[in-house]
C-alpha cells in the first residue's frame, strides 16, 4: 500500500499562512535541497486549486534562469526543484479551474475515492498539498504521514495546518534542524 504524505511549512503555532495570507517562511539552500530530495522520491502530488495556483510558477521557473553555472547555491537548488516539479505527475482537485499546465491532470472527482484507489496501486509515495484537501483526507484516515517544517515565528491566527476539531494520535519518526532555524518533524499515524 502506498504512503500518503501531507507536508507544509508551518509557524510555531501551526499555521501555514497568516491572517493576511502571508506565507510562513521560505527555505534557504540547505532546506531547498532537502525538499528536492523528498520531491524526487514522489510518484504523484495531489493539490487543491489554491496551492496549484501558487506552485504553477515552477512549471516555467527554469526558463527564466536556465543556467546554473553562475547561479547562487539557492538559485541552483531552486532550478533543480523546478526540474523535479515539471517531471512530477500531479492531480489538481478543483471545480473552478478550466485547465492545468504541464504534467498536471485536472480532476473533479471525489478526492477521497481517488486517494483510496491510488493507495491500493503499486508505486511510490503520494504527496498531498493544501490545507483543505488535507483536512478532507485526514477526516477519512487517508493520510499516513505528516511532515511539518516549523519556522521560528508565531502568527497568532490564519490558515491552520490541521483542521479545527481534528484529533490525531501520532508517532514521531524523525527530526532535523536546518541552518535557517527551521525544524523538520516527521510523524506517522499511531
Amino acid at each position: 500500500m502506498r504512503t500518503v504524505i501531507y507536508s507544509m511549512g508551518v509557524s510555531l503555532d501551526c499555521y501555514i499562512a497568516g491572517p493576511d495570507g502571508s506565507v510562513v517562511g521560505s527555505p534557504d539552500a540547505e532546506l531547498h535541497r532537502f525538499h528536492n530530495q523528498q520531491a524526487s522520491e514522489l510518484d504523484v502530488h495531489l493539490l487543491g486549486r489554491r496551492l496549484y495556483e501558487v506552485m504553477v510558477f515552477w512549471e516555467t521557473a527554469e526558463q527564466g534562469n536556465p543556467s546554473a553555472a553562475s547561479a547562487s547555491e539557492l538559485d541552483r537548488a531552486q532550478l533543480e526543484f523546478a526540474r523535479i516539479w515539471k517531471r512530477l505527475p500531479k492531480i489538481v482537485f478543483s471545480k473552478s479551474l478550466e485547465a492545468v499546465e504541464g504534467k498536471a491532470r485536472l480532476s473533479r472527482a471525489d478526492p477521497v475515492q481517488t486517494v483510496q484507489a491510488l493507495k491500493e496501486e503499486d508505486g511510490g509515495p503520494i504527496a498531498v498539498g493544501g490545507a483543505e484537501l488535507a483536512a478532507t483526507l485526514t477526516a477519512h484516515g487517508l493520510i499516513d504521514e505528516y511532515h511539518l517544517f516549523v519556522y521560528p515565528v508565531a502568527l497568532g491566527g490564519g490558515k491552520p495546518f490541521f483542521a479545527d476539531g481534528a484529533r490525531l494520535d501520532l508517532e514521531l519518526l524523525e527530526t532535523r534542524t536546518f541552518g535557517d532555524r527551521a525544524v523538520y518533524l516527521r510523524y506517522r499515524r499511531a
Side-chain angles (χ1 to χ4, degrees), residues 85-146:
W85 186 257
K86 283 177 66 169
R87 289 190 304 262
L88 181 62
K90 296 165 274 295
I91 301 173
V92 181
F93 293 94
S94 174
K95 299 206 184 311
S96 61
L97 286 175
E98 296 298 322
V100 291
E101 297 180 32
K103 288 192 78 170
R105 175 173 59 93
L106 183 59
S107 177
R108 301 200 194 291
D110 176 13
V112 170
Q113 291 176 349
T114 300
V115 172
Q116 287 171 332
L118 286 171
K119 282 183 71 125
E120 296 299 323
E121 295 175 358
D122 289 334
I126 301 165
V128 174
E132 291 177 26
L133 178 58
T136 298
L137 299 178
T138 296
H140 288 86
L142 292 171
I143 296 182
D144 303 299
E145 291 190 9
Y146 296 85

Side-chain angles (χ1 to χ4, degrees), residues 23 25-37 39-40 54-87 151 180:
V23 294
S26 59
D28 65 3
E30 177 191 19
L31 182 50
H32 221 300
R33 286 191 305 272
F34 187 76
H35 284 305
N36 294 353
Q37 178 61 41
S40 70
V54 170
M55 297 301 289
V56 76
F57 162 82
W58 295 104
E59 294 293 335
T60 59
E62 189 178 10
Q63 294 169 359
N65 189 1
S67 173
S70 62
S72 71
E73 189 177 352
L74 178 58
D75 288 340
R76 286 192 301 274
Q78 291 173 338
L79 286 170
E80 179 187 3
F81 182 79
R83 292 177 188 125
I84 293 166
W85 186 257
K86 283 177 66 169
R87 289 190 304 262
Y151 286 87
D180 71 351

